[in-house]
Amino acid sequence: MPLHRSLVELRMLLGAGHLTATELVTAALEALARTQPTLNAFVAVHRARALAEAARPGGGPLAGVPIAVKDNLDEAGVPGPAGCRAYRDRIPPRDATAVARLRAAGAVIVGRTNMHELADGITSANPHHGPVRNPWGRDRHPGGSSGGSGAAVAAGVVPAALGTDTGGSVRIPAALCGVVGLKPTRGLVPTGGVVPLSPTLDHVGVLTRSVADAAALLAVLAPAAAEPLARPGRGRLRLGVLEGFAADADGPVGACFAAALRVLEGLGARLRAVSVPRLAEAGRLLGRIYRPEAARAHALQLAARPADFGAEVRATLERGLRADPAGREAALRERELLAAEVAAAMEDVDLLVSPTTPHPAGPLGAPGPATYLAFTCPFNLTGQPALSLPMGLVDGLPVGLQLAGRPGEDARLLWEAAALEERLGFDHSPAGRGV
């Protein structure tokens, strides 16, 4: 059975009776077992439960489709440590809202994906479970913090996975693993039942094999979005090319970005340069907001079990505990100024466009430079929807194109991304790489 199928294709096969839920879930579990020694994408597998659910699929829009969830999203009765040994005994009583909506739609959760500890990092090198490896190169990291979800989708284990995104943690692994990653408008998908990193900035997002798959998942996760998603966008697309972003990308990524812009122009898009000076401050603002919020969220556990936190995360939390609360409040005010500046820049454009990351995936074990966040974190601060779409390869490794829409205009973002995806024609399968 071909593993590299989209969610939409699999639903068609299931609906037509060409495939049973048991066959599909069994194939996913076999792929998981085969790739786990190489990729280390999962920290828990729900084999018995998944097969039992597949044997009695319901009639929802995702009935019988295997999906993975990141280790920081709650599942009732299942340990949910968010990649952190200090929380190994944490067993939530109920599903996260996003997980509950997947189950109600008939999805079969096959397992929990490996991640950067507490979602605080961009390489998915977990000190307790080991690093996730990139399907496009086992000597490369997959990005983070939702690296296990990105690797699982890229390797064809599952057609879709849930992730979370506080500064780019869905879009970065999507870009580096050659899949689609969507961070919806802040609040559109509830964060209830997510182990927090930063309540102000956390988003639940999806990693999929196609834009259509991301739209299908969003319709389930955010029912209010279902009707707009069914209506195509209208008019000629006006794109704002963020000044300075392309210049910050290394040469090959910049060349891929320029080629993608030519494809957009071929689709009839009108491009114009857009300047948002405060974007240069986004990384600083992100740190001043998320570190004290993370410290507050995990202070009790840090005091009780400090040795059970990895050194990297422990240092972040300790720094957050020392932070002056006034610094966070000032950063929140500056965040509003940034959002206003972005909104003003978008008065004459429909979407903003940039590379997703300035570099492809780095070597396994190397620290992830903060520059990976440069293009993604501004849209966690503004809360607007943003999507990473594969745009090409650099030295055999995928890189992504980021599109960002106005808050609440997730449907327009997805429709335009789908049109571009078709023209770019990216081959999502990391074939021949032993995955």
Side-chain angles (χ1 to χ4, degrees):
M1 178 189 303
L3 290 174
H4 294 279
R5 296 271 192 170
S6 73
L7 182 153
V8 171
E9 290 173 323
L10 291 172
R11 279 297 302 142
M12 291 176 63
L13 292 171
L14 288 165
H18 298 312
L19 186 65
T20 69
T22 295
E23 290 172 333
L24 180 55
V25 170
T26 298
L29 290 168
E30 289 175 350
L32 194 163
R34 185 173 62 255
T35 59
Q36 180 63 11
T38 301
L39 300 182
N40 195 33
F42 286 81
V43 294
V45 183
H46 305 334
R47 181 177 178 82
R49 177 175 180 171
L51 289 172
E53 291 177 358
R56 53 177 193 278
L62 300 178
V65 176
I67 290 179
V69 301
K70 189 176 178 180
D71 195 38
N72 61 345
L73 286 117
D74 286 354
E75 292 183 87
V78 175
C84 182
R85 190 169 59 194
Y87 287 102
R88 64 182 178 271
D89 301 324
R90 179 181 176 275
I91 301 179
R94 61 184 64 85
D95 287 340
T97 303
V99 173
R101 289 178 178 177
L102 288 183
R103 292 195 196 280
V108 178
I109 309 300
V110 297
R112 301 177 65 78
T113 56
N114 200 353
M115 58 181 282
H116 216 103
E117 186 177 11
L118 292 183
D120 181 30
I122 51 180
T123 64
S124 298
N126 188 288
H128 313 297
H129 300 296
V132 183
R133 294 176 176 84
N134 194 316
W136 290 84
R138 285 174 287 176
D139 60 342
R140 301 285 172 152
H141 68 72
S145 62
S146 307
S149 291
V153 174
V157 176
V158 287
L162 291 187
T164 61
D165 192 312
T166 304
S169 287
V170 162
R171 289 159 289 154
I172 292 169
L176 303 189
C177 292
V179 297
V180 172
L182 171 67
K183 180 196 78 66
T185 296
R186 181 171 52 236
L188 184 62
V189 180
T191 56
V194 175
V195 176
L197 179 63
S198 169
T200 296
L201 304 172
D202 292 344
H203 296 64
V204 174
V206 300
L207 296 104
T208 62
R209 300 195 61 75
S210 73
V211 175
D213 290 354
L217 273 188
L218 186 61
V220 167
L221 296 172
E227 183 178 348
L229 287 169
R231 297 197 300 266
R234 300 176 183 174
R236 189 178 183 188
L237 182 62
R238 303 168 302 167
L239 284 176
V241 181
L242 286 164
E243 287 186 333
F245 272 31
D248 289 338
D250 64 24
V253 174
C256 278
F257 182 56
L261 292 182
R262 290 193 292 271
V263 172
L264 283 164
E265 287 184 301
L267 287 170
R270 290 181 293 179
L271 307 183
R272 58 171 295 184
V274 171
S275 176
V276 183
R278 288 183 187 273
L279 286 180
E281 299 298 314
R284 177 181 63 83
L285 298 180
L286 187 91
R288 294 180 74 187
I289 294 169
Y290 100 83
R291 279 191 290 265
E293 290 191 352
R296 184 165 54 198
H298 301 290
L300 292 178
Q301 205 71 355
L302 181 65
R305 305 173 73 165
D308 285 338
F309 288 83
E312 179 184 351
V313 167
R314 186 167 65 247
T316 295
L317 298 180
E318 290 171 347
R319 183 176 177 185
L321 288 173
R322 295 192 300 269
D324 183 351
R328 174 181 172 273
E329 296 305 315
L332 290 172
R333 291 191 294 272
E334 288 187 66
R335 178 188 65 148
E336 297 306 315
L337 296 174
L338 169 63
E341 196 171 87
V342 172
M346 292 191 72
E347 287 181 358
D348 297 319
V349 299
D350 303 304
L351 301 174
L352 298 175
V353 60
S354 73
T356 307
T357 65
H359 338 286
L364 199 69
T371 48
Y372 274 117
L373 296 166
F375 305 161
T376 56
C377 76
F379 304 118
N380 293 85
L381 292 160
T382 63
Q384 61 200 95
L387 177 146
S388 179
L389 185 69
M391 69 174 180
L393 300 177
V394 170
D395 296 328
L397 298 169
V399 291
L401 178 75
Q402 180 175 241
L403 301 169
R406 296 187 186 89
E409 294 190 2
D410 300 65
R412 178 67 187 270
L413 172 65
L414 286 161
W415 275 102
E416 302 298 354
L420 178 58
E421 175 185 50
E422 183 177 358
R423 288 290 295 272
L424 287 173
F426 183 80
D427 180 1
H428 293 262
S429 175
R433 290 172 171 81
V435 297

